[in-house]
Amino acid sequence: MNRSASFFTSLWAVLLLSHATASGQAAPDYRQWTDKTSGKQIEASMVSADVTARTVTIQKKDGASFTLPIVRLADADLAYIKAKLAAPATAATTPAPAAPATAPAAVPGKTPAAAPVAAAPQAPVGAPAPARPVVAVTPAKKFKHPAGGAILSSVKSVRPRLIMNAEGFAALKARVASDPTSKAMFEAIQKTGEDLLTKPELTKSFGEENPVGRQTIFRFSHLGILSQVTGDPRWKDRGVKELLAVSKDFTNWSPTDAKICSEFVTGMAIGYDYFRTSLNPDQAKIVRAAMVQLGFDALMAHLKGEPIPATTKRPEPGQAPPENKPSGKTPKKPEDKTPPDGEEMITASALMLAAISLNEDEPNAAGPAANLAAKVLGDGVTGFSPDGIWPESLYVGDEVLDSLALVISSFRSACGSDFGYSTVEGLANIGLARMYLSGPKNLFNYGSSKRDNLDRYWITSWLASLYGNPGVPAIRARGAEANVGNAANLNQAGALLYHSPYMGGYGTPDSLDKAFTSAQVATLRTAWNDPNAMFVGIKGGKNDHPGAQLDLGTFVLDAGGVRWAVDLGAEDEKQVANIADPKRFKFYREGSLGQNIIRMGGTPEVEEKDAKKKPAVKGAPAPADPNNQAIEATATISGFVSTPERGVAIVDLSDVFTGKAKGWHRGAMVSRGPKPYVIIQDEFIAKSGSPEWVMHTKSEVTTAGNKATLKSGNNLLTASIISPAGATFISADPPTLPQGATPLTGIKLLKIVLANVKGPQMIAVAFASGDAAPEVTAMPMEQWLPKKK
């Protein structure tokens, strides 16, 4: 073992024993730090050490800070770091315990009793982030969005104006010259740009679909930044070539897919704005014509619910022009009016950006587009109210914010005002929501998204620049894009544009747990900033929400760096083309069978011929399935408490299985004692039937009576049934799904089956890391909560 590896092994031991890290709040201790490779020295104080990244952050007396690899430092520096981290934490470096937060008791009419619990360990802390700014919030019901005409009339006739104007780029240039992190970010973008120059412009091959719209966003944002900061004409020349390639070589921008088409329009709007002055009149006309025909016309039809014009697809080489026969959506009926969904928000954002970009040059197209987009955006931005959660899923919310943030930034740079959008209730809480709903391993996918992680990392910087750092780690400068030919979205560019002092450290969240009233979801954990912490997410909500699955009461579980209880995500969009069609609940992932819940009806057979049928029209009855929760069912977080010792969330599921059980509640509890554990517990009165407790996992499962051992690599999790007595675990393979459905590759089922039960039931399962069952006995959930006063 080399010296640096040995150092980190011992350092981990010190951290585990002391639960302390160095903090920037202590009095600075300036000393000489030595680069053992070059021999250069620098006088600075230690701010923090990152054990995972093997780095130390130091700060000079003039305030400049640097993050250095441990392996570069002299032995005396290593010894100093070890001594600092081993020193007892002072009052300045150890946060006070979070104050308890209490909600109504879980089971009305019963008197809860307190239960003894062990004290929780201190959560690790790092260099503190600046205090979050105070934001004047506009209540969602009082937000008055401006009309599109009012927005366009305030657009300044200068370029660039989308995302950042000339004044903003001048400030960025100065920041790159003075701030080491911004400089590193810009150097990575320069390297990415150089790599891009060796690759061909975006092109479309005959007969292919166009899933490359997001690549236009990446290319034009990066080329624009390089052009504005460096003034090198190479970036403008490449920007013009890319604009003409996408305008001339693409016969369509996937007009029937609103998201992909929106990505094309967003990227082209940025490109036209940044490189308009480098286009000659004929070139500018070609680009504008493509934006209107291939983009505006398709997106306007999507938002109006009208058929997509046939002219949004040009003839392929060697083919005759298409018939002027529109296709696509059926016009919406008045009764179909609902709040804008994620796809509509992304579509409206693209139209608004394009309208601002083409304001003077194509007023006849820009005006109607801005008016329609402004109405959708104004209605939809309140979807994040009140607590920062987008109702469809956190990942869909990030997709919405990826577009909406560009619009808000462009309002500021082009119009001098964001018209109050940034103060709408909910937006200032998005950073907190993203933090609480992200477990040590993966995201808590409470909605129907197929993703369990957030890949638009630049949004963290944008949120922090407006609302401060809620407690997330600082974003480090990343290297050049590895696969520049297929790189997508803003990412590198956005992280640089919105880098701010708020990204410089860790915040201190008020508590380890959070319940969100808008989506009726809750998360609990044993520690922050610990990749091995235990984490559980549990959900209520409404089954009839657009895009929702029949999954009330489902949960996910992380421990030891592994996601043990997994969410299967959503069925492929090719199979579930219409989220309003209740027949989609036949699919394993969309109905209740594919969730971590209790099944009440036994396993039904799904015939292959039924799975192949096309979706029915909206309003058709859902297929009969004894396991599926009622589509109209609603579940609420009826009990929640967060103390230093434990986190509790209880979901009232009484509305879910009204014909088979009553008084149903499911609770999740995290104990943060020296031997942490998680309990998932169900309490209900069964009318009849054979309840089947189910958890999906990607781990190996071994069962032995009331104990199950789950293994993933070298990590173990032990599950034990603490109620009812005599119940046993069963390990099972998932069913073979009908042709066309996404296979359940690598999935195992951990199950408990109770045969023919009636009357009061308590099913409780405890989880703990390692091969030993947690030492805990079952108690009614009413005793998880404080006594009523």
Side-chain angles (χ1 to χ4, degrees):
M1 182 181 293
N2 61 39
R3 180 171 180 82
S4 62
S6 176
F7 166 78
F8 268 91
T9 300
S10 59
L11 178 58
W12 266 119
V14 170
L15 286 171
L16 291 172
L17 289 171
S18 66
H19 297 292
T21 63
S23 171
Q25 294 178 345
D29 180 15
Y30 293 101
R31 61 184 299 278
Q32 293 292 333
W33 299 79
T34 303
D35 184 332
K36 66 182 180 182
T37 303
S38 64
K40 292 183 179 179
Q41 291 187 322
I42 183 172
E43 185 180 14
S45 66
M46 177 176 160
V47 175
S48 65
D50 188 324
V51 179
T52 302
R54 300 191 175 190
T55 60
V56 61
T57 299
I58 60 176
Q59 187 174 49
K60 296 170 61 178
K61 291 182 178 180
D62 63 4
S65 62
F66 306 90
T67 299
L68 305 174
I70 293 289
V71 294
R72 288 178 50 183
L73 297 175
D75 291 349
D77 297 327
L78 301 183
Y80 177 81
I81 297 171
K82 185 175 180 179
K84 289 285 286 185
L85 293 176
T90 65
T93 63
T94 303
T102 309
V107 186
K110 295 184 178 180
T111 304
V117 289
Q122 294 287 349
V125 295
R132 299 176 69 193
V134 177
V135 178
V137 174
T138 304
K141 292 182 178 180
K142 294 186 177 181
F143 174 60
K144 303 296 182 183
H145 60 82
I151 294 171
L152 293 186
S153 66
S154 63
V155 172
K156 301 171 185 176
S157 296
V158 295
R159 296 193 190 273
R161 58 187 180 220
L162 289 186
I163 308 177
M164 186 170 280
N165 55 26
E167 182 180 354
F169 276 114
L172 173 62
K173 186 175 182 178
R175 173 156 58 86
V176 167
S178 61
D179 174 58
T181 302
S182 297
K183 180 181 179 182
M185 288 179 172
F186 182 73
E187 289 174 346
I189 289 178
Q190 279 186 304
K191 177 62 168 61
T192 295
E194 296 290 347
D195 290 347
L196 183 60
L197 292 181
T198 68
K199 302 292 189 296
E201 294 84 30
L202 289 171
T203 57
K204 174 186 180 295
S205 299
F206 175 75
E208 289 184 358
E209 288 298 321
N210 301 320
V212 296
R214 64 194 63 183
Q215 295 179 33
T216 65
I217 299 174
F218 179 90
R219 295 194 179 200
F220 289 123
S221 61
H222 283 65
L223 292 169
I225 288 175
L226 289 168
S227 176
Q228 291 294 323
V229 173
T230 68
D232 188 332
R234 293 183 302 159
W235 311 120
K236 285 187 176 181
D237 292 344
R238 181 54 183 263
V240 169
K241 290 179 180 178
E242 293 280 5
L243 281 169
L244 294 176
V246 179
S247 300
K248 295 164 60 177
D249 297 342
F250 283 71
T251 58
N252 69 85
W253 294 348
S254 297
T256 59
D257 190 313
K259 282 188 180 180
I260 294 177
C261 190
S262 296
E263 291 164 349
F264 272 104
V265 172
T266 297
M268 291 294 284
I270 295 170
Y272 185 83
D273 178 53
Y274 286 1
F275 303 113
R276 171 64 182 90
T277 56
S278 298
L279 296 168
N280 64 41
D282 290 338
Q283 292 172 331
K285 185 176 180 180
I286 290 171
V287 176
R288 292 198 303 270
M291 291 178 67
V292 173
Q293 178 188 358
L294 306 182
F296 276 65
D297 291 350
L299 298 187
M300 293 280 283
H302 276 288
L303 289 184
K304 292 179 179 179
E306 297 177 350
I308 309 300
T311 51
T312 57
K313 283 192 175 183
R314 297 167 177 166
E316 299 284 0
Q319 291 185 351
E323 296 182 22
N324 189 19
K325 182 179 179 181
S327 61
K329 294 185 177 181
T330 301
K332 291 182 180 179
K333 300 176 183 179
E335 62 267 26
D336 290 340
K337 177 175 172 56
T338 57
D341 60 21
E343 182 178 282
E344 290 171 318
M345 288 292 287
I346 293 168
T347 302
S349 296
L351 274 176
M352 181 59 75
L353 292 169
I356 294 173
S357 182
L358 299 184
N359 186 33
E360 310 96 303
D361 298 345
E362 292 287 343
N364 292 335
N371 283 327
L372 181 58
K375 179 67 169 63
V376 174
L377 292 172
D379 292 341
V381 69
T382 59
F384 288 101
S385 172
D387 43 26
I389 287 186
W390 187 257
E392 291 174 87
S393 74
L394 196 63
Y395 185 82
V396 173
D398 248 36
E399 290 184 312
V400 172
L401 203 60
D402 188 81
S403 300
L404 185 60
L406 298 183
V407 172
I408 293 174
S409 297
S410 295
F411 282 165
R412 291 185 167 198
S413 60
C415 308
S417 167
D418 66 20
F419 307 103
Y421 269 81
S422 63
T423 66
V424 175
E425 181 183 18
L427 265 66
N429 292 328
I430 295 174
L432 278 169
R434 295 167 93 240
M435 180 181 67
Y436 274 104
L437 289 164
S438 296
K441 180 60 179 177
N442 288 320
L443 183 72
F444 175 30
N445 176 21
Y446 60 85
S448 60
S449 170
K450 289 184 289 186
R451 303 294 296 267
D452 58 6
N453 67 320
L454 299 177
D455 55 2
R456 290 163 165 82
Y457 61 84
W458 76 272
I459 291 177
T460 302
S461 299
W462 183 81
L463 288 169
S465 71
L466 290 181
Y467 310 114
N469 186 337
V472 295
I475 285 184
R476 298 181 181 88
R478 300 194 179 200
E481 181 64 43
N483 187 10
V484 69
N486 295 314
N489 299 321
L490 202 65
N491 284 343
Q492 267 189 325
L496 172 63
L497 292 176
Y498 299 108
H499 183 67
S500 71
Y502 290 111
M503 299 310 300
Y506 291 83
T508 303
D510 294 333
S511 70
L512 291 165
D513 318 299
K514 183 75 172 177
F516 295 89
T517 58
S518 59
Q520 293 296 325
V521 298
T523 60
L524 320 166
R525 71 188 72 219
T526 56
W528 288 108
N529 310 319
D530 180 358
N532 294 312
M534 298 195 81
F535 167 88
V536 63
I538 188 169
K539 79 175 291 290
K542 296 181 178 181
N543 277 344
D544 64 356
H545 192 281
Q549 297 172 340
L550 304 183
D551 62 353
L552 301 181
T554 194
F555 72 98
V556 296
L557 173 66
D558 292 357
V562 176
R563 170 63 55 92
W564 299 101
V566 302
D567 186 295
L568 299 178
E571 184 53 74
D572 190 275
E573 293 178 358
K574 293 180 181 178
Q575 301 298 323
V576 184
N578 181 6
I579 63 172
D581 179 10
K583 277 198 170 184
R584 68 186 174 91
F585 297 129
K586 294 184 308 175
F587 286 94
Y588 192 87
R589 286 175 169 81
E590 299 297 312
S592 298
L593 282 175
Q595 318 304 329
N596 298 326
I597 60 172
I598 288 184
R599 303 170 178 173
M600 290 297 291
T603 304
E605 294 182 359
V606 181
E607 296 185 11
E608 185 174 322
K609 62 180 182 180
D610 289 335
K612 291 182 178 179
K613 289 181 180 179
K614 293 182 179 179
V617 296
K618 182 177 181 179
D625 187 329
N627 277 293
N628 272 347
Q629 298 175 353
I631 294 178
E632 65 275 10
T634 297
T636 58
I637 305 291
S638 59
F640 176 77
V641 63
S642 179
T643 70
E645 295 80 23
R646 64 167 51 170
V648 171
I650 301 174
V651 183
D652 185 345
L653 297 170
S654 300
D655 193 34
V656 177
F657 291 115
T658 54
K660 300 172 183 177
K662 63 180 182 179
W664 195 318
H665 291 78
R666 165 167 277 196
M669 181 177 74
V670 169
S671 173
R672 293 186 271 263
K675 295 181 179 181
Y677 58 85
V678 166
I679 296 177
I680 301 295
Q681 184 162 312
D682 290 87
E683 296 175 15
F684 57 96
I685 299 174
K687 296 181 179 180
S688 64
S690 300
E692 186 178 67
W693 186 99
V694 178
M695 185 185 98
H696 294 78
T697 184
K698 292 184 178 180
S699 61
E700 301 174 28
V701 180
T702 303
T703 61
N706 70 342
K707 178 181 176 181
T709 302
L710 283 65
K711 183 178 181 182
S712 178
N714 294 323
N715 295 289
L716 296 177
L717 181 79
T718 297
S720 60
I721 303 172
I722 57 176
S723 178
T728 59
F729 279 120
I730 300 171
S731 175
D733 292 321
T736 300
L737 300 186
Q739 183 178 356
T742 307
L744 297 171
T745 306
I747 296 295
K748 286 283 188 179
L749 274 63
L750 181 64
K751 302 167 68 174
I752 305 168
V753 179
L754 303 183
N756 301 317
V757 298
K758 193 172 183 179
Q761 306 295 320
M762 178 192 291
I763 304 175
V765 180
F767 301 90
S769 295
D771 58 0
E775 298 176 0
V776 59
T777 57
M779 66 177 70
M781 283 187 286
E782 62 183 19
Q783 296 182 26
W784 292 5
L785 302 171
K787 283 185 178 181
K788 288 183 177 179
K789 295 182 180 180

